[in-house]
Each structure stands twice: as structure tokens, then as C-alpha cells.
Amino acid sequence: MTLTPPAALARKGFFKAPLALFRRGASAPRPRVVRRLPVERDWPVAAIVAVQVGILVVAIGTWEIAADTGWIDAFFWSRPSAIGETLLTFFESGRAVSDTLFTFRSTILGFALGTTLGAAFGLSFWWSRNYARIVQPYIICFESLPKLALAPLIILVFGIGLASKVALASALTFVVSTLTAYAGVKAVDQDGERLFYSLGATRWQVFTKLVVPSCVPWIISILRVNIGLALTGAVVGEFIASEQGLGRAILYAGQTYEIALVWVAVMVLSVLSITMYVAVSWLESRLRRGVGQ
Amino acid sequence: MSADSKLYLEDVSVTFQTADGPFHALAPVTLNIPRGRFVSLIGPSGCGKSTIFNVVAGLQSPTRGRVLIDGIDATGSIGQVGYMLQKDLLLPWRTVLDNVILGMEVRGVPVAEARDHARPYLQRYGLGGFENRHPGALSGGMRQRAALLRTLLFDSDVILLDEPFGALDAQTKAQMQEWLLKIWTDFGKTVVFVTHDVEEAVYLSDDIHVMATRPGRVIAHIPVDLPRPRPRSVVTTPGFVALKQRCLALLGHPADEESEAA
Ligand SMILES: Nc1ncnc2c1ncn2[C@@H]1O[C@H](COP(=O)(O)OP(=O)(O)OP(=O)(O)O)[C@@H](O)[C@H]1O
Ligand SMILES: [Mg+2]
């Protein structure tokens, strides 16, 4: 049997039907729709801000009117005017500042303590693979444990003062920091270690000159997560038992049906949270520039 | 073993224990590297070139055999030779200057002193103006220069270079070869050089050791008796071409057309 080459087949008329189809498609071109690249023009900043303020004013105005006309129950929802008055008294009484400072202090202490100790613990695994293997299951247990559920125990042990809030904030940040630093340790370039050893380095030199610097970006990357976790820990600690702090102000106001005060304290807490987040982001970018990343 | 032997490998063999049983990476290898020479190791991928270097640098203990430096047993001791691994391994968080002084720093030289010592070298060997930059800002050739200077300033008599120019383009590679020869002449060190490029090996070396795989072993020693300094045009001389052909034949390559034409 001989194979017929395609060209010969075409000459014999085998491909006629498909070719005809092609030609018909080409002879009747469809009209092209003219389209332009969709472009959205940027509004001036003033216009954006004006709309944002407008939305806020409308929302607050609607809330106030709804409370006036009895459309919503002002006892449960409070009203903007009442919240405004409460905000003023909250600041005039000095409680705003003292509560904010209390929450701020426990958050920052817990953040610093948890991050430092956690990172140090994570870095320590570089020293011995066997030690790392022994400790690992315990860390995973502690990681999966809902730390906030331990809050009552922590309050019992550390009392109702600052220490228990710091402990809770540290507990939340500690494990994340440990795991991240350990991930950094595992990612240390093996060939980098070999380079150091080929130069006759000691383990301590490899640790300080290679392992720690290569884990620094990993540790920096969890600072922003940790500040949020530390604030959560501090506020929950205040919910459970405390004499000061924004968390305790919110809880207390709720229990005594001072709904306006709940709103005020939540607002102040958000401002604190945003401020700390921005500060840590700034710190992060400074540190990154410092380590040349 | 002759009297001027700088580095001597005595029946060094390496067997790795793998999941599929023992793997003989290096059959007993004996190598004599005389003082102040430029010696190349060539061979197919996986023939144990890097393994030899790891053994000499003390990063891998040989299953059998000894490593002698200046006639003294140095098997398994680290920090005896300068070793440039297959990657440049510059630390991204250090400046070029601080990368170059790493070896001195590890040996305990105070940082300020080490920097003062290294600065003139950076100037002289084409890294002037880059000392305070980070490695990320350097080109491939510059990175290799920095890594090589780090190896040289470690101040050991023997330096091991594992395919330092493997990743460079042809033009940069030629520049770097000239640069390396200049450094070798200036410093007078004993260099052991690994490459896949036969022409590079012949052009640079005093001696070539050809290796074969499975198990890794040395199959030939080829002295290169071309006079120095060698101009670039040496690559077209019959002597050079003959040496290159011999190496290629030992590596199991068919004679290539370019050199047949010459
Ligand atoms: N730790 C190890 N365990 C098992 N086998 C290994 C180990 N290290 C290297 N080998 C094997 O030993 C052989 C020699 O490796 P080596 O890295 O020395 O080769 P090479 O000649 O440097 O190759 P290349 O030119 O690709 O760099 C290879 O087949 C490699 O797979
Ligand atoms: Mg190799």
C-alpha cells in the first residue's frame, strides 16, 4: 500500500469542501465594532473627600433622625448627639487618656515580649535538629490551642493588673513568632553554612553572622500581624477582669446600659489600633531599609 | 609525593549511603598539586569534582584516604583552604566590602582593620566605587569578582574554585579569565579550578586532570606546556588545539569541527 501525500489529495479534490467553507467566511467580513480603551479619570482629592464627608454626614444624620422619630430604639442604639456628649465627658474626666494608656502599655509590652521571646525560641532550633524534633509537637499543640480560652487561668495566676494583660498579649504573639522564626531557620541556605564552615567559622559565628541576619526579614514580616494580636490579647484580658483599660470601659458601659459610652470607647480603641498599626508599618519599612531588603 | 607538593590527596574515596544502597561518588583518587600551580579538574557532571573540593575543604569526610597540605595531614579540618563554591553566596544584607572581608572577620581580624586591608584590593581589581553597594546591585561578573576576592583575602595558600565562570556570558567570561590570571600572578597562590569548558581549562592551566564518572575517578593527567603569558590568540595554535582534542577525546566527545578546521 502506498501513502498519498496531502498535496496530491488536494489536487484530487479531497479538501474541496473545507476550503470552500473558508472562502465563504473570508468573502463576507463582519463589520468591526470600534471600541476605546476604558479609562476612568481621577477626581480631584477635594471631591473624593467631599463625598466621603457627605456619606458620613448623611449616615450620622439618618441615625439621629431615626432615633428622634422612634424608628430605631435609642436605648439600645444610642444616638450621635448623645455619643458626642459622652465623648466630651470621657475626655474631660481624664478616663480616655488613662484607659488608652493602660491598654497601650499592655499591648506594647506584650507585643515586645512575645515577639522577642518567640523569635529567640524559634531561632534556637537551629542549634540542634534533635532538640527541634523533640520540641516541635509541643509547639504545634500550643499553636492549635485557643489561647484566649486560657484567659481566666492567666488572670488567676497573674492577677487583675497589667501583668495578666501583658501575659495574654505575649501568649498570642509568642507562637506566631516562634513558628515564623523557625521557618526562617529552615530556609537558611545550606551552601551559605558550608561557605562559613569552609572559612573555619565556629557555630556561634554561623549563628550570628548568617542565621540571625537571614531570619530578620522573616521576623520583620510578622510585626504587623503581632501588633493586632497583642491588642486583641490585651482587650480580652480587660474583658475578663480589670480595673482599667478600654476593654474594661466597653464591658462596664455595656453592663450598665451606657450604650453611648460603648460607642465612644470602641471609637477610641479603633484610633489606638490604627495608630499602632501605622507606627509598626513605619518601623517595618525602616527596618527593611536597614537590612538592605 | 614530591617535595614541592602543596596539596596531596592520598587514595581519597567517598561513598554516600543512599536509600538505594551505597553510592560510590569517588573511587580512590590520588592527586598531587604542586605549589603555585594552576590546576584544572575537568569531567562530566556528577563525576565528583565538587566532592573532591568538599573533602579538601573539610566539609565532607572521606570514606577512606587522607588530605595532606604542605605534607601535613589536614583531613577533615576546616578553614585550611579558600573555597569558592559553585554559587557566589554573597550575603545580601552586607555591602560588597563587608562580604569580601568575611573570611578575615571569621578568623578574628577586627572589622575596621579588615576593611582597611581590603579596600585597596577592591580598587585594584575592578570593584572600586562598589564597596558600599549591596550585592543585589552588581552584575554577574562583578558578583564573581567579589566572591573571588573574598576567597583570596581569606589568605590561605590554596584556593579551590568550583566553576566560577559557569554562569557568565562568553565575553564576560573571557574578561574574568584575564582577571583571574592577573590575580593568580599577583598573589602566587596554588589554584585548583573546576570547569566544564575544556578551552577554558587549557587556556588557564599548568596541569589538567581529566575525570570520569561511575565511579568518579581521575583518568588522565595532561600537563599544559604552553608558555606564559598566553595571548588570546593561543587558542588557534596547533599545540593548543592538540591539547584540547586530547581532553575532548578523553571526555568521550567526538572531535569538534571548529578545531578540525584550524
Ligand atoms: N550527600 C550526598 N548523598 C548522596 N549522593 C551525593 C551526595 N552529594 C553528592 N552526591 C552524588 O555524588 C556524585 C558526585 O557529585 P558532585 O557534586 O561531586 O559532582 P560534580 O562533578 O561536582 O558535578 P557537577 O559538574 O554537576 O557540579 C553525584 O552523582 C551526586 O549525585
Ligand atoms: Mg559540582
Side-chain angles (χ1 to χ4, degrees):
Chain A
M1 183 195 143
T2 55
L3 287 170
T4 324
L9 282 178
R11 250 179 279 122
K12 285 181 189 159
F14 268 82
F15 292 155
K16 227 169 226 155
L19 281 178
L21 258 177
F22 241 142
R23 247 179 255 122
R24 203 178 308 141
S27 65
R30 280 213 260 138
R32 272 188 199 217
V33 183
V34 179
R35 286 214 186 87
R36 291 185 190 287
L37 182 70
V39 177
E40 186 186 8
R41 263 194 292 141
D42 284 339
W43 290 5
V45 178
I48 299 277
V49 172
V51 174
Q52 284 169 335
V53 171
I55 292 172
L56 209 61
V57 168
V58 169
I60 292 172
T62 313
W63 186 356
E64 187 74 42
I65 292 164
D68 267 344
T69 55
W71 205 49
I72 58 170
D73 190 341
F75 180 74
F76 286 120
W77 291 101
S78 188
R79 58 170 73 207
S81 53
I83 294 171
E85 279 162 34
T86 312
L87 186 68
L88 278 181
T89 45
F90 193 53
F91 272 91
E92 274 164 5
S93 68
R95 280 182 56 206
V97 174
S98 67
D99 280 343
T100 306
L101 275 183
F102 184 82
T103 305
F104 174 72
R105 221 177 300 141
S106 32
T107 305
I108 288 296
L109 286 176
F111 167 76
L113 212 64
T115 309
T116 317
L117 293 181
F121 191 41
L123 287 172
S124 76
F125 293 133
W126 178 79
W127 287 89
S128 160
R129 261 194 313 276
N130 291 320
Y131 153 66
R133 271 164 57 202
I134 291 169
V135 178
Q136 216 165 5
Y138 294 102
I139 299 174
I140 292 165
C141 282
F142 192 52
E143 151 77 358
S144 52
L145 190 83
K147 265 79 62 187
L148 289 178
L150 286 181
L153 184 69
I154 289 180
I155 303 276
L156 273 181
V157 174
F158 290 94
I160 61 166
L162 189 74
S164 56
K165 296 8 166 228
V166 174
L168 206 53
S170 320
L172 283 186
T173 47
F174 180 82
V175 196
V176 188
S177 312
T178 302
L179 290 175
T180 311
Y182 185 34
V185 162
K186 282 194 280 196
V188 170
D189 189 356
Q190 291 297 305
D191 284 330
E193 282 189 36
R194 289 149 56 78
L195 166 72
F196 270 83
Y197 288 126
S198 82
L199 297 169
T202 61
R203 295 203 80 197
W204 179 249
Q205 284 176 322
V206 178
F207 183 70
T208 53
K209 292 179 201 293
L210 176 71
V211 177
V212 173
S214 44
C215 290
V216 162
W218 292 74
I219 296 165
I220 291 174
S221 72
I222 47 161
L223 294 182
R224 269 187 291 171
V225 175
N226 273 358
I227 194 74
L229 286 174
L231 184 63
T232 309
V235 170
V236 169
E238 289 167 6
F239 276 174
I240 308 274
S242 183
E243 288 175 326
Q244 289 177 75
L246 291 169
R248 125 110 198 170
I250 292 167
L251 187 78
Y252 186 77
Q255 281 168 346
T256 55
Y257 298 103
E258 289 180 69
I259 307 303
L261 187 55
V262 173
W263 285 113
V264 166
V266 167
M267 272 161 53
V268 176
L269 187 60
S270 326
V271 171
L272 176 64
S273 170
I274 292 167
T275 312
M276 288 194 299
Y277 185 83
V278 170
V280 169
S281 305
W282 175 81
L283 179 73
E284 186 184 319
S285 66
R286 281 301 303 268
L287 287 174
R288 274 193 201 286
R289 226 174 305 147
V291 298
Q293 298 283 312
Chain B
M1 186 187 133
S2 59
D4 74 335
S5 169
K6 181 72 202 177
L7 175 65
Y8 192 76
L9 275 75
E10 188 180 83
D11 292 320
V12 169
S13 66
V14 173
T15 305
F16 291 111
Q17 299 304 328
T18 64
D20 322 327
F23 176 80
H24 300 286
L26 222 51
V29 163
T30 297
L31 266 184
N32 179 27
I33 302 199
R35 192 180 313 279
R37 303 272 271 192
F38 197 118
V39 178
S40 287
L41 300 180
I42 58 174
S45 193
C47 70
K49 303 180 295 287
S50 299
T51 306
I52 287 185
F53 277 8
N54 289 337
V55 169
V56 173
L59 301 176
Q60 164 78 51
S61 43
T63 312
R64 233 175 243 116
R66 297 193 302 162
V67 175
L68 304 176
I69 297 174
D70 291 323
I72 299 162
D73 191 344
T75 320
S77 62
I78 57 175
Q80 301 275 343
V81 295
Y83 182 11
M84 181 172 161
L85 287 96
Q86 235 160 331
K87 294 192 264 173
D88 61 46
L89 295 171
L90 298 174
L91 306 174
W93 55 87
R94 284 178 171 235
T95 61
V96 171
L97 181 61
D98 285 356
N99 263 294
V100 165
I101 64 166
L102 188 68
M104 287 186 272
E105 201 183 312
V106 163
R107 259 213 331 264
V109 179
V111 173
E113 199 179 300
R115 285 187 184 141
D116 289 341
H117 180 71
R119 258 189 217 104
Y121 289 98
L122 290 177
Q123 288 296 336
R124 194 150 98 234
Y125 295 108
L127 285 168
F130 287 94
E131 32 190 77
N132 294 321
R133 304 286 283 278
H134 286 268
L138 299 191
S139 67
M142 290 284 195
R143 292 178 67 100
Q144 294 297 326
R145 277 174 204 234
L148 258 164
L149 273 183
R150 177 184 63 203
T151 314
L152 285 163
L153 292 180
F154 176 53
D155 216 21
S156 73
D157 302 336
V158 180
I159 61 171
L160 314 176
L161 307 176
D162 197 346
E163 273 193 72
F165 309 142
L168 301 179
D169 61 90
Q171 202 183 343
T172 315
K173 193 172 180 170
Q175 279 170 9
M176 293 297 293
Q177 288 167 355
E178 301 305 328
W179 183 82
L180 177 62
L181 283 179
K182 181 176 160 206
I183 279 191
W184 175 63
T185 323
D186 290 1
F187 283 76
K189 304 215 177 200
T190 306
V191 174
V192 191
F193 188 88
V194 161
T195 180
H196 272 115
D197 182 343
V198 173
E199 189 166 301
E200 178 174 62
V202 179
Y203 179 68
L204 294 174
S205 317
D206 296 315
D207 293 287
I208 298 175
H209 294 275
V210 184
M211 297 182 66
T213 186
R214 291 189 180 269
R217 61 198 189 278
V218 176
I219 51 170
H221 168 213
I222 301 176
V224 180
D225 42 15
L226 303 168
R228 290 185 191 269
R230 297 174 185 163
R232 270 278 145 195
S233 56
V234 74
V235 300
T236 55
T237 61
F240 188 98
V241 173
L243 283 168
K244 192 176 153 188
Q245 293 297 357
R246 221 176 124 199
C247 292
L248 286 171
L250 284 163
L251 292 173
H253 288 275
D256 69 33
E257 292 140 41
E258 177 204 337
S259 24
E260 266 172 2

